[in-house]
Amino acid sequence: MWLLMVIGSLVLLHLVIYSSTPTYTIPFSNFTPLEKFIIHHSLVMPAYVIVQVKVNEPIEYEVYKSLTPASIHAYGGRFIVRGAAVETLEGSWAPGRLVVLEFPDKATAQAWWDSEEYATAKAIRQRTAETEMILVEGFVPV
C-alpha cells in the first residue's frame, strides 16, 4: 500500500509542477484507470464522528464536556459542531444536541473512541446522556 501512496504522490507532484491549469484543478481525464486508482487511494480521507445527544444529567455532563477536548486533540481531531442550534430542513429529525468531530482518517477516529484517554469521559457520557453515534469517512474528490 505504501508503494501506491508514493506513486500517487509523485503523480500529483508532477501534475502540480508541470500542469498549465491552476494547481487546485487536476485533469484526471487523461489518466488510465490504474493511474486514477493509485492517485485516489493515495489520498487520505478525513473521517467524521457524528453524535446526537440527549443530556439527562446536565451537571455531570459538564464534567464530560471538560474532559473530552484533550482526548480529541491527542488524536488529531477537532470539533466541527459542538452543541450549536439545530434547524430541521426536511423530515422529522430534531436532535437536541448535535456534535460533529473531524479526524485525519477513520482508523484514527476509531482509535480515539477505543482509547484510554477517552475512556473516563466516555463512561461519564454513557451514564449521563443518551447518544446515537456514527463514524463515517469523508470524501476526497477526484
Side-chain angles (χ1 to χ4, degrees):
M1 188 64 176
W2 66 269
L3 182 59
L4 289 176
M5 291 172 58
V6 169
I7 292 170
S9 298
L10 291 173
V11 170
L12 287 173
L13 180 62
H14 175 79
L15 285 171
V16 169
I17 293 172
Y18 296 106
S19 176
S20 61
T21 58
T23 57
Y24 58 83
T25 304
I26 301 174
F28 283 101
S29 59
N30 296 334
F31 289 100
T32 68
L34 177 59
E35 291 168 330
K36 290 178 184 178
F37 176 85
I38 291 170
I39 292 168
H40 179 72
H41 286 84
S42 67
L43 301 173
V44 176
M45 287 189 237
Y48 299 90
V49 175
I50 302 170
V51 189
Q52 175 181 314
V53 183
K54 179 183 175 196
V55 178
N56 296 324
E57 301 289 337
I59 294 170
E60 275 191 85
Y61 192 79
E62 289 300 316
V63 175
Y64 167 78
K65 286 170 48 179
S66 70
L67 293 174
T68 304
S71 69
I72 292 168
H73 294 293
Y75 284 81
R78 66 185 182 118
F79 286 97
I80 302 297
V81 175
R82 189 176 190 193
V86 176
E87 180 181 338
T88 301
L89 298 177
E90 284 188 37
S92 59
W93 186 30
R97 178 175 174 81
L98 190 68
V99 177
V100 179
L101 307 172
E102 180 183 58
F103 287 91
D105 55 54
K106 192 174 178 181
T108 304
Q110 184 69 54
W112 163 76
W113 193 83
D114 292 331
S115 72
E116 288 297 317
E117 293 91 341
Y118 182 55
T120 301
K122 185 195 315 185
I124 293 169
R125 177 184 48 78
Q126 290 172 338
R127 185 176 68 248
T128 63
E130 298 170 38
T131 57
E132 301 289 334
M133 184 180 297
I134 60 171
L135 171 59
V136 61
E137 261 185 338
F139 176 72
V140 177
V142 289

